[in-house]
Amino acid sequence: MSAGDPPAPLKGARLLFSLDPAVSYLNHGSFGAVPIGVQRAQQRLRDEIEANPHKFYTQGMLDRVVHTRRHIAAFLGADPDGSALVPNTTAAVSLILQTLRFGSADEVLLTDHGYGAVAMATRRQCRRVGATARTVALPLSASDAEVISRVRAALRPGKTRLLIIDQIASATSATFPVREIAAAAREHDIPVLVDAAHVPGMFPVDVSAIGADFWVGNLHKWAFAPRGTALLAVAPQWRRRIEPLVVSWEQDEGFPLAVEYQGTIDYTPWLAAPAGLFTLRTLGWEAVRAHNAALVAYGQRVVGAALGLAPADLPQPATPEVAMRVVPLPAGLASTPPEAIALRLLISDKLATETAVNAWGGRGLLRLSAQVYNRPEEYDRLAERLPPLLASLTTPR
């Protein structure tokens, strides 16, 4: 296989999913796709609940949650006693923002690659107390050294009370050297929250080695867990200070049980998550990572070429195992969030293809994902049909 060839499909992988065969699903990054075997594992848990709800919730349920948490924490290299299962990354961010108790003289530092809902939650919390949310710009083409330099220069010791940094940015698919950034912030005693929503299952991670104060990643994207499964890891010095967003019966137990136990919420996504990790291992995690990275690189290349972009115009991730890549759209298209949503819906409707479209830095970015159920011909078909669709949006009537 030459450097320009797409990877061979993983045998039988497509049959593990219940996706509509009439749709090219090139957007695994947004909501994931749950394998059929994991769906069935979760349904068995739901059946168990409905057979005897009282028994499920009162006899051993918390022990099962703890066991699951330990299994997931081991997979991610996190301390199981310093981690908590949570619904998703954005819920964990709100939890941390509530815990830190900012004052009117404080600020939270974000980057312009940050997830929109995280930025919204940060600004809301800052407004409540009169604090400031400030953003540092990181060029899409920036090297790791430049990223570290820019973030370091933006820190304000004594004023910056929290730095929120993505490990893999949702809108741009950029990867950031979070271990080095956490070390730089630690020099000034500035806490760091790593938004690693896309990390679990996409590439190996040793959470404890990163050295962040807070790290949170979703397992329902690339680790094949049911939606509503994420792990929040908290450094030892913060664990006694964590304040759950909702107070329930395990409040006096402290972190992590006070965060995990929320009465009659649905715990089945968490308890079925190990079945997702089993699926990943059965397929061969190294094979999955290699397939996805090579296929999305192929997709970026063919779609970019169809839009007249040279290889140098296509942003390349610092971490080659990333399974998402972006293709810059022609100037004037999807340059605002409403326009990006409209274009995404149009691609879905007219081309029977699911993608992500984001407005970033005044330009539209088409984000492609690759998962084991995808085929090269899906990207070829998008490359063939997307340019006429985009041209119809700019042609005078």
Side-chain angles (χ1 to χ4, degrees), residues 176-265:
F176 296 117
V178 292
R179 182 173 181 173
E180 292 80 0
I181 289 171
R186 195 160 50 245
E187 295 173 5
H188 304 291
D189 294 323
I190 296 173
V192 174
L193 166 57
V194 174
D195 179 343
H198 288 274
V199 170
M202 188 185 289
F203 55 72
V205 61
D206 185 344
V207 171
S208 296
I210 291 173
D213 298 81
F214 314 100
W215 183 100
V216 59
N218 293 330
L219 283 95
H220 53 249
K221 292 181 182 285
W222 301 94
F224 295 151
R227 279 168 285 277
T229 305
L231 189 81
L232 168 65
V234 177
Q237 66 269 26
W238 294 102
R239 294 171 190 172
R240 293 177 62 88
R241 298 171 60 179
I242 296 294
E243 297 185 3
L245 295 173
V246 177
V247 174
S248 195
W249 288 102
E250 296 298 318
Q251 176 70 15
D252 291 343
E253 293 297 319
F255 185 83
L257 281 179
V259 169
E260 291 173 329
Y261 185 73
Q262 296 295 313
T264 53
I265 65 168

Coordinates of all heavy atoms in Angstrom, one line a residue, residues 176-265:
F176 N -3.0 19.1 21.5 CA -2.2 20.0 22.3 C -1.3 19.2 23.3 O -1.8 18.2 23.9 CB -3.0 21.1 23.0 CG -3.7 22.0 22.0 CD1 -5.1 22.0 22.0 CD2 -3.0 22.8 21.2 CE1 -5.8 22.8 21.1 CE2 -3.7 23.6 20.3 CZ -5.1 23.6 20.2
P177 N -0.1 19.7 23.6 CA 0.8 19.1 24.5 C 0.4 19.3 26.0 O 1.0 20.1 26.7 CB 2.2 19.7 24.2 CG 1.8 21.0 23.7 CD 0.5 20.9 23.0
V178 N -0.6 18.7 26.4 CA -1.2 19.0 27.7 C -0.3 18.7 28.9 O -0.3 19.4 29.9 CB -2.5 18.3 27.9 CG1 -3.6 18.8 27.0 CG2 -2.4 16.8 27.7
R179 N 0.6 17.7 28.8 CA 1.5 17.4 29.9 C 2.5 18.6 30.1 O 2.7 19.1 31.2 CB 2.3 16.2 29.6 CG 3.3 15.8 30.7 CD 3.9 14.4 30.4 NE 4.8 14.0 31.5 CZ 5.3 12.8 31.5 NH1 5.0 11.9 30.6 NH2 6.1 12.4 32.5
E180 N 3.0 19.1 29.0 CA 4.0 20.3 29.1 C 3.2 21.5 29.5 O 3.8 22.3 30.3 CB 4.7 20.5 27.8 CG 5.6 19.4 27.4 CD 4.9 18.2 26.8 OE1 3.7 18.2 26.7 OE2 5.6 17.2 26.4
I181 N 2.0 21.7 29.1 CA 1.2 22.9 29.5 C 0.9 22.8 31.0 O 1.0 23.8 31.7 CB 0.0 23.0 28.6 CG1 0.3 23.4 27.2 CG2 -1.0 24.0 29.2 CD1 -0.8 23.3 26.2
A182 N 0.5 21.6 31.4 CA 0.2 21.5 32.9 C 1.5 21.8 33.7 O 1.4 22.4 34.8 CB -0.3 20.1 33.1
A183 N 2.6 21.4 33.2 CA 3.9 21.7 34.0 C 4.1 23.1 34.0 O 4.6 23.7 35.0 CB 5.0 20.9 33.3
A184 N 3.9 23.8 32.9 CA 4.1 25.3 32.9 C 3.2 26.0 33.8 O 3.6 26.9 34.5 CB 3.9 25.8 31.4
A185 N 1.9 25.6 33.9 CA 1.0 26.2 34.8 C 1.3 25.9 36.2 O 1.1 26.8 37.1 CB -0.4 25.8 34.5
R186 N 1.8 24.7 36.5 CA 2.1 24.3 37.8 C 3.3 25.2 38.4 O 3.3 25.4 39.6 CB 2.5 22.8 37.8 CG 2.6 22.2 39.2 CD 2.5 20.7 39.1 NE 3.4 20.1 38.2 CZ 3.1 19.5 37.1 NH1 1.8 19.3 36.7 NH2 4.0 19.0 36.3
E187 N 4.1 25.7 37.6 CA 5.2 26.6 38.1 C 4.6 27.8 38.8 O 5.3 28.5 39.6 CB 6.0 27.1 36.9 CG 6.8 26.0 36.2 CD 7.5 26.5 34.9 OE1 7.4 27.7 34.7 OE2 8.1 25.7 34.2
H188 N 3.4 28.2 38.4 CA 2.7 29.4 39.0 C 1.5 29.0 39.9 O 0.7 29.9 40.2 CB 2.3 30.3 37.9 CG 3.4 30.8 37.0 ND1 4.4 31.6 37.4 CD2 3.6 30.5 35.7 CE1 5.2 31.8 36.4 NE2 4.8 31.1 35.3
D189 N 1.4 27.7 40.2 CA 0.3 27.2 41.1 C -1.1 27.5 40.4 O -2.0 27.8 41.1 CB 0.4 27.8 42.5 CG 1.6 27.3 43.2 OD1 2.0 26.1 43.1 OD2 2.2 28.1 44.0
I190 N -1.1 27.4 39.1 CA -2.4 27.7 38.4 C -3.0 26.3 38.1 O -2.4 25.5 37.4 CB -2.2 28.5 37.1 CG1 -1.7 29.9 37.5 CG2 -3.5 28.6 36.3 CD1 -1.3 30.7 36.3
P191 N -4.2 26.0 38.5 CA -4.8 24.7 38.2 C -5.1 24.6 36.7 O -5.4 25.6 36.0 CB -6.1 24.8 39.0 CG -5.9 25.8 40.1 CD -5.0 26.8 39.4
V192 N -5.1 23.3 36.2 CA -5.3 23.0 34.8 C -6.4 22.0 34.7 O -6.4 21.0 35.4 CB -4.1 22.5 34.1 CG1 -4.4 22.1 32.7 CG2 -3.0 23.6 34.1
L193 N -7.4 22.3 33.9 CA -8.5 21.3 33.5 C -8.3 20.9 32.1 O -8.3 21.8 31.2 CB -9.8 22.0 33.7 CG -11.1 21.3 33.1 CD1 -11.2 19.9 33.6 CD2 -12.3 22.1 33.4
V194 N -8.0 19.7 31.8 CA -7.9 19.1 30.5 C -9.2 18.6 30.0 O -9.7 17.6 30.6 CB -6.8 18.0 30.5 CG1 -6.7 17.4 29.1 CG2 -5.4 18.6 30.8
D195 N -9.7 19.2 28.9 CA -10.9 18.7 28.2 C -10.4 17.6 27.2 O -9.9 17.9 26.2 CB -11.6 19.8 27.5 CG -12.8 19.4 26.8 OD1 -13.0 18.1 26.5 OD2 -13.7 20.2 26.4
A196 N -10.5 16.4 27.6 CA -10.1 15.2 26.8 C -11.3 14.5 26.2 O -11.3 13.2 26.2 CB -9.2 14.3 27.6
A197 N -12.3 15.2 25.8 CA -13.6 14.5 25.4 C -13.3 13.4 24.4 O -14.0 12.4 24.4 CB -14.5 15.6 24.9
H198 N -12.4 13.6 23.5 CA -12.2 12.7 22.3 C -11.1 11.7 22.6 O -10.8 10.9 21.7 CB -11.9 13.5 21.1 CG -13.1 14.2 20.5 ND1 -14.0 13.6 19.7 CD2 -13.5 15.5 20.7 CE1 -14.9 14.5 19.3 NE2 -14.7 15.6 20.0
V199 N -10.4 11.7 23.7 CA -9.2 10.9 23.9 C -9.5 9.5 24.2 O -8.9 8.6 23.5 CB -8.3 11.5 25.0 CG1 -7.2 10.6 25.4 CG2 -7.8 12.9 24.5
P200 N -10.4 9.1 25.1 CA -10.5 7.7 25.4 C -10.9 6.8 24.2 O -11.9 7.1 23.6 CB -11.6 7.7 26.5 CG -11.5 9.0 27.2 CD -11.2 9.9 26.0
G201 N -10.1 5.9 23.9 CA -10.4 5.0 22.8 C -9.8 5.5 21.5 O -9.6 4.7 20.6
M202 N -9.4 6.8 21.4 CA -8.8 7.2 20.1 C -7.3 6.9 20.2 O -6.7 6.5 19.2 CB -9.0 8.7 19.9 CG -8.5 9.1 18.5 SD -8.6 10.9 18.1 CE -10.4 11.2 18.0
F203 N -6.6 7.3 21.3 CA -5.2 6.9 21.4 C -4.9 6.7 22.9 O -5.6 7.1 23.7 CB -4.3 7.9 20.7 CG -4.4 9.3 21.1 CD1 -3.9 9.7 22.4 CD2 -4.9 10.2 20.3 CE1 -4.0 11.0 22.7 CE2 -5.0 11.6 20.6 CZ -4.5 12.0 21.9
P204 N -3.8 6.0 23.1 CA -3.4 5.6 24.5 C -3.2 6.9 25.3 O -2.7 7.9 24.8 CB -2.2 4.8 24.4 CG -2.2 4.3 23.0 CD -2.8 5.4 22.2
V205 N -3.5 6.8 26.6 CA -3.3 7.9 27.5 C -3.0 7.4 28.9 O -3.5 6.4 29.3 CB -4.6 8.8 27.6 CG1 -5.8 8.1 28.1 CG2 -4.3 10.1 28.4
D206 N -2.1 8.1 29.5 CA -1.7 7.9 30.9 C -2.1 9.1 31.7 O -1.3 10.1 31.8 CB -0.2 7.6 31.1 CG 0.2 7.2 32.5 OD1 -0.7 7.4 33.4 OD2 1.3 6.7 32.7
V207 N -3.3 9.2 32.2 CA -3.9 10.4 32.8 C -3.0 10.8 34.0 O -2.7 12.0 34.1 CB -5.3 10.1 33.3 CG1 -5.8 11.3 34.1 CG2 -6.2 9.9 32.1
S208 N -2.6 9.9 34.8 CA -1.8 10.3 36.0 C -0.5 11.0 35.6 O 0.0 11.9 36.3 CB -1.5 9.1 36.9 OG -2.7 8.6 37.4
A209 N 0.1 10.6 34.5 CA 1.4 11.1 34.0 C 1.2 12.5 33.5 O 2.2 13.3 33.4 CB 2.0 10.2 33.0
I210 N 0.0 12.9 33.1 CA -0.2 14.3 32.5 C 0.1 15.3 33.6 O 0.6 16.4 33.3 CB -1.6 14.4 31.9 CG1 -1.7 13.5 30.6 CG2 -1.9 15.8 31.6 CD1 -3.1 13.4 30.1
G211 N -0.4 15.1 34.8 CA -0.1 16.0 35.9 C -1.1 17.1 36.0 O -0.8 18.1 36.6
A212 N -2.3 17.0 35.3 CA -3.3 18.0 35.4 C -4.0 17.9 36.7 O -4.1 16.9 37.3 CB -4.3 17.9 34.2
D213 N -4.6 19.1 37.1 CA -5.4 19.0 38.3 C -6.7 18.3 38.1 O -7.3 17.6 39.0 CB -5.7 20.5 38.8 CG -4.4 21.2 39.1 OD1 -3.7 21.7 38.2 OD2 -4.1 21.3 40.3
F214 N -7.3 18.5 36.9 CA -8.5 17.9 36.5 C -8.4 17.4 35.0 O -7.9 18.1 34.2 CB -9.7 18.8 36.6 CG -9.7 19.6 37.9 CD1 -9.3 20.9 37.9 CD2 -10.2 19.1 39.1 CE1 -9.3 21.7 39.1 CE2 -10.2 19.8 40.2 CZ -9.7 21.1 40.3
W215 N -8.9 16.2 34.8 CA -8.9 15.6 33.4 C -10.2 14.9 33.2 O -10.6 14.1 34.1 CB -7.7 14.6 33.3 CG -7.5 14.0 31.9 CD1 -6.6 14.4 31.0 CD2 -8.2 12.9 31.4 NE1 -6.8 13.6 29.9 CE2 -7.7 12.6 30.1 CE3 -9.3 12.1 31.9 CZ2 -8.2 11.6 29.3 CZ3 -9.7 11.0 31.1 CH2 -9.2 10.8 29.8
V216 N -10.8 15.1 32.1 CA -12.1 14.5 31.9 C -12.2 14.0 30.4 O -11.9 14.8 29.5 CB -13.3 15.3 32.2 CG1 -13.3 16.6 31.5 CG2 -14.6 14.6 32.1
G217 N -12.6 12.8 30.2 CA -12.8 12.3 28.8 C -14.1 11.4 28.7 O -14.5 10.7 29.6
N218 N -14.7 11.6 27.5 CA -15.9 10.8 27.2 C -15.5 9.4 26.7 O -14.6 9.3 25.9 CB -16.7 11.5 26.1 CG -17.3 12.8 26.6 OD1 -17.6 12.9 27.8 ND2 -17.5 13.7 25.7
L219 N -16.2 8.4 27.2 CA -16.0 7.0 26.6 C -17.1 6.7 25.6 O -17.0 5.7 24.9 CB -16.0 6.0 27.7 CG -14.7 6.0 28.5 CD1 -14.8 6.9 29.7 CD2 -14.3 4.6 28.8
H220 N -18.1 7.5 25.4 CA -19.1 7.2 24.4 C -18.8 7.7 23.0 O -19.7 7.7 22.2 CB -20.5 7.8 24.9 CG -20.5 9.2 25.3 ND1 -20.6 9.7 26.6 CD2 -20.3 10.3 24.5 CE1 -20.5 11.0 26.6 NE2 -20.4 11.4 25.3
K221 N -17.6 8.2 22.8 CA -17.2 8.6 21.5 C -16.4 7.5 20.9 O -16.8 6.7 20.0 CB -16.5 9.9 21.5 CG -17.4 11.1 21.9 CD -16.6 12.4 21.9 CE -17.5 13.6 22.3 NZ -18.4 14.0 21.3
W222 N -15.1 7.4 21.3 CA -14.2 6.5 20.6 C -13.9 5.2 21.4 O -13.2 4.3 20.9 CB -12.9 7.2 20.4 CG -13.1 8.4 19.5 CD1 -13.3 9.7 19.9 CD2 -13.2 8.5 18.1 NE1 -13.6 10.6 18.9 CE2 -13.5 9.8 17.7 CE3 -13.1 7.5 17.1 CZ2 -13.6 10.2 16.4 CZ3 -13.2 7.9 15.8 CH2 -13.5 9.3 15.4
A223 N -14.6 5.0 22.5 CA -14.4 3.8 23.3 C -15.6 2.9 23.3 O -15.7 2.0 24.1 CB -14.0 4.1 24.8
F224 N -16.6 3.2 22.4 CA -17.7 2.4 22.2 C -18.7 2.2 23.4 O -19.4 1.2 23.4 CB -17.3 1.0 21.7 CG -16.6 1.0 20.3 CD1 -15.6 0.0 20.0 CD2 -16.9 1.9 19.4 CE1 -15.0 0.0 18.8 CE2 -16.2 2.0 18.1 CZ -15.3 1.0 17.9
A225 N -18.6 3.1 24.3 CA -19.5 3.0 25.5 C -20.9 3.6 25.1 O -21.0 4.4 24.2 CB -19.0 3.7 26.7
P226 N -21.9 3.3 25.8 CA -23.2 4.0 25.6 C -23.1 5.4 25.9 O -22.3 5.8 26.8 CB -24.2 3.3 26.6 CG -23.6 1.9 26.8 CD -22.1 2.1 26.8
R227 N -23.9 6.3 25.3 CA -23.8 7.7 25.5 C -24.2 8.0 27.0 O -25.1 7.4 27.5 CB -24.7 8.4 24.5 CG -24.1 8.6 23.2 CD -25.1 9.1 22.1 NE -25.9 8.0 21.7 CZ -25.6 7.1 20.8 NH1 -24.4 7.1 20.2 NH2 -26.4 6.1 20.4
G228 N -23.4 9.0 27.5 CA -23.6 9.3 28.9 C -22.6 8.8 29.8 O -22.8 8.6 31.0
T229 N -21.4 8.5 29.2 CA -20.3 7.8 30.0 C -19.0 8.6 29.9 O -18.5 8.8 28.8 CB -20.1 6.4 29.6 OG1 -21.3 5.7 29.6 CG2 -19.0 5.7 30.5
A230 N -18.5 9.1 31.0 CA -17.2 9.9 31.0 C -16.6 9.6 32.3 O -17.2 9.2 33.3 CB -17.5 11.4 30.7
L231 N -15.2 9.9 32.3 CA -14.5 9.7 33.6 C -13.8 11.1 33.9 O -13.1 11.6 33.0 CB -13.4 8.6 33.4 CG -12.7 8.3 34.8 CD1 -13.6 7.4 35.6 CD2 -11.4 7.7 34.6
L232 N -14.0 11.5 35.1 CA -13.3 12.7 35.6 C -12.3 12.3 36.6 O -12.6 11.6 37.6 CB -14.4 13.6 36.3 CG -13.8 14.8 37.2 CD1 -13.0 15.8 36.3 CD2 -14.9 15.5 38.0
A233 N -11.0 12.7 36.3 CA -9.9 12.4 37.3 C -9.5 13.7 37.9 O -9.3 14.7 37.3 CB -8.7 11.8 36.5
V234 N -9.3 13.6 39.3 CA -9.0 14.8 40.1 C -7.7 14.5 40.9 O -7.6 13.5 41.5 CB -10.2 15.1 41.0 CG1 -9.9 16.2 41.9 CG2 -11.5 15.3 40.2
A235 N -6.8 15.5 40.9 CA -5.6 15.4 41.6 C -5.9 15.4 43.1 O -6.9 15.9 43.6 CB -4.7 16.6 41.3
P236 N -5.0 14.7 43.9 CA -5.3 14.5 45.3 C -5.6 15.8 46.1 O -6.5 15.8 46.9 CB -4.0 13.9 45.8 CG -3.4 13.2 44.7 CD -3.8 14.0 43.5
Q237 N -5.0 16.9 45.8 CA -5.2 18.1 46.6 C -6.6 18.7 46.4 O -7.0 19.6 47.2 CB -4.1 19.1 46.2 CG -4.2 19.7 44.8 CD -3.3 18.9 43.9 OE1 -3.1 17.7 44.1 NE2 -2.8 19.6 42.8
W238 N -7.3 18.3 45.4 CA -8.6 18.8 45.1 C -9.8 17.9 45.5 O -10.9 18.4 45.6 CB -8.8 19.2 43.6 CG -7.9 20.2 43.1 CD1 -6.7 20.1 42.4 CD2 -8.0 21.6 43.3 NE1 -6.1 21.3 42.2 CE2 -6.9 22.3 42.7 CE3 -9.0 22.4 44.0 CZ2 -6.7 23.6 42.7 CZ3 -8.8 23.8 44.0 CH2 -7.7 24.4 43.3
R239 N -9.5 16.7 45.8 CA -10.6 15.7 46.0 C -11.6 16.1 47.1 O -12.8 15.9 47.0 CB -10.1 14.3 46.1 CG -9.3 13.8 44.9 CD -8.6 12.6 45.1 NE -7.7 12.3 43.9 CZ -6.8 11.3 43.9 NH1 -6.6 10.5 44.9 NH2 -6.1 11.1 42.8
R240 N -11.1 16.5 48.2 CA -11.9 16.9 49.4 C -12.7 18.1 49.1 O -13.7 18.4 49.9 CB -11.1 17.0 50.6 CG -10.4 15.7 51.1 CD -9.5 15.9 52.3 NE -10.3 16.4 53.5 CZ -10.9 15.7 54.3 NH1 -10.9 14.4 54.2 NH2 -11.6 16.2 55.4
R241 N -12.4 18.9 48.1 CA -13.1 20.2 47.8 C -14.1 20.0 46.8 O -14.9 21.0 46.5 CB -12.0 21.2 47.4 CG -11.0 21.5 48.5 CD -9.9 22.4 48.0 NE -10.3 23.7 47.5 CZ -9.5 24.6 47.1 NH1 -8.2 24.4 47.1 NH2 -10.0 25.7 46.6
I242 N -14.2 18.9 46.1 CA -15.2 18.7 45.0 C -16.6 18.8 45.6 O -17.0 18.1 46.5 CB -15.0 17.4 44.3 CG1 -13.7 17.4 43.6 CG2 -16.1 17.2 43.3 CD1 -13.5 18.3 42.5
E243 N -17.4 19.7 45.0 CA -18.8 19.8 45.4 C -19.8 19.4 44.3 O -19.8 20.0 43.2 CB -19.1 21.3 45.7 CG -18.3 21.9 46.9 CD -18.7 23.3 47.2 OE1 -19.7 23.8 46.5 OE2 -18.1 23.9 48.1
P244 N -20.5 18.3 44.5 CA -21.4 17.8 43.5 C -22.4 18.9 43.0 O -22.8 19.7 43.8 CB -22.1 16.6 44.1 CG -21.2 16.2 45.2 CD -20.5 17.5 45.7
L245 N -22.8 18.8 41.8 CA -23.8 19.7 41.3 C -25.2 19.5 41.9 O -26.0 20.4 42.1 CB -23.9 19.6 39.8 CG -22.7 20.1 39.0 CD1 -22.9 19.7 37.5 CD2 -22.4 21.5 39.2
V246 N -25.4 18.2 42.3 CA -26.7 17.8 43.0 C -26.3 17.0 44.2 O -25.5 16.1 44.2 CB -27.5 16.9 42.0 CG1 -28.8 16.5 42.8 CG2 -27.9 17.7 40.8
V247 N -26.9 17.4 45.4 CA -26.6 16.7 46.6 C -27.6 15.5 46.7 O -28.8 15.7 46.5 CB -26.8 17.7 47.8 CG1 -26.7 16.9 49.1 CG2 -25.8 18.8 47.8
S248 N -27.0 14.4 47.0 CA -27.8 13.2 47.2 C -27.3 12.4 48.4 O -26.5 12.9 49.2 CB -27.8 12.3 45.9 OG -28.8 11.4 45.9
W249 N -27.7 11.1 48.5 CA -27.5 10.4 49.7 C -26.1 10.0 50.0 O -25.8 9.6 51.2 CB -28.4 9.1 49.7 CG -29.9 9.5 49.8 CD1 -30.8 9.5 48.9 CD2 -30.5 9.8 51.1 NE1 -32.0 9.9 49.4 CE2 -31.9 10.1 50.7 CE3 -30.1 10.0 52.4 CZ2 -32.8 10.4 51.7 CZ3 -31.1 10.3 53.3 CH2 -32.4 10.6 53.0
E250 N -25.2 10.0 49.1 CA -23.8 9.7 49.3 C -23.0 11.0 49.6 O -21.7 10.9 49.5 CB -23.2 8.9 48.2 CG -23.9 7.5 47.9 CD -23.7 6.6 49.1 OE1 -22.6 6.6 49.7 OE2 -24.7 5.9 49.5
Q251 N -23.6 12.1 49.8 CA -22.9 13.3 50.0 C -21.8 13.2 51.1 O -20.7 13.7 50.9 CB -23.9 14.5 50.4 CG -23.2 15.8 50.7 CD -22.6 16.5 49.4 OE1 -22.9 16.1 48.3 NE2 -21.8 17.5 49.7
D252 N -22.1 12.6 52.2 CA -21.2 12.5 53.3 C -20.0 11.6 53.0 O -19.0 11.7 53.7 CB -21.9 12.0 54.6 CG -22.8 13.1 55.1 OD1 -22.7 14.2 54.7 OD2 -23.7 12.7 55.9
E253 N -20.1 10.8 51.9 CA -19.0 9.9 51.6 C -17.9 10.7 50.8 O -16.7 10.2 50.7 CB -19.5 8.8 50.7 CG -20.4 7.8 51.4 CD -19.6 7.1 52.5 OE1 -18.5 6.7 52.3 OE2 -20.3 6.9 53.6
G254 N -18.2 11.9 50.3 CA -17.2 12.7 49.6 C -16.9 12.1 48.2 O -17.6 11.2 47.7
F255 N -16.0 12.7 47.6 CA -15.6 12.3 46.2 C -14.9 11.0 46.3 O -14.1 10.7 47.2 CB -14.6 13.4 45.7 CG -14.2 13.2 44.2 CD1 -15.0 13.6 43.2 CD2 -13.0 12.5 43.9 CE1 -14.6 13.4 41.9 CE2 -12.7 12.3 42.6 CZ -13.5 12.7 41.6
P256 N -15.2 10.0 45.3 CA -16.1 10.2 44.1 C -17.5 9.8 44.3 O -18.3 10.2 43.4 CB -15.4 9.3 43.1 CG -14.8 8.2 44.0 CD -14.4 8.8 45.3
L257 N -17.9 9.1 45.3 CA -19.2 8.6 45.4 C -20.3 9.7 45.5 O -21.4 9.5 44.9 CB -19.4 7.6 46.6 CG -18.9 6.2 46.5 CD1 -19.1 5.4 47.7 CD2 -19.6 5.5 45.3
A258 N -19.9 10.8 46.1 CA -20.9 11.9 46.2 C -21.2 12.4 44.8 O -22.3 13.0 44.6 CB -20.3 13.0 47.1
V259 N -20.3 12.3 43.9 CA -20.6 12.8 42.5 C -21.3 11.7 41.7 O -22.2 12.0 41.0 CB -19.2 13.1 41.8 CG1 -19.4 13.3 40.3 CG2 -18.6 14.4 42.5
E260 N -20.9 10.5 42.0 CA -21.5 9.4 41.1 C -22.9 9.0 41.5 O -23.8 8.8 40.6 CB -20.6 8.1 41.3 CG -19.3 8.3 40.6 CD -18.3 7.2 40.9 OE1 -18.4 6.5 42.0 OE2 -17.5 6.9 40.0
Y261 N -23.3 9.0 42.8 CA -24.6 8.6 43.2 C -25.6 9.8 43.0 O -25.5 10.8 43.7 CB -24.6 8.1 44.6 CG -26.0 7.5 44.9 CD1 -26.4 6.3 44.4 CD2 -26.9 8.2 45.8 CE1 -27.7 5.8 44.7 CE2 -28.1 7.7 46.1 CZ -28.5 6.5 45.5 OH -29.8 6.0 45.8
Q262 N -26.5 9.6 42.1 CA -27.5 10.7 41.9 C -28.9 10.0 41.9 O -29.7 10.3 41.0 CB -27.3 11.4 40.6 CG -25.9 12.2 40.6 CD -25.9 13.3 41.6 OE1 -26.9 14.1 41.6 NE2 -24.9 13.4 42.3
G263 N -29.2 9.2 42.9 CA -30.6 8.7 43.1 C -30.9 7.8 41.9 O -30.2 6.8 41.6
T264 N -32.1 8.1 41.3 CA -32.6 7.2 40.2 C -32.2 7.6 38.8 O -32.9 7.3 37.9 CB -34.1 7.2 40.3 OG1 -34.6 8.5 40.3 CG2 -34.6 6.5 41.6
I265 N -31.0 8.1 38.6 CA -30.5 8.3 37.3 C -30.3 7.0 36.6 O -30.2 5.9 37.3 CB -29.3 9.2 37.2 CG1 -28.1 8.4 37.9 CG2 -29.5 10.5 37.8 CD1 -26.7 9.1 37.6

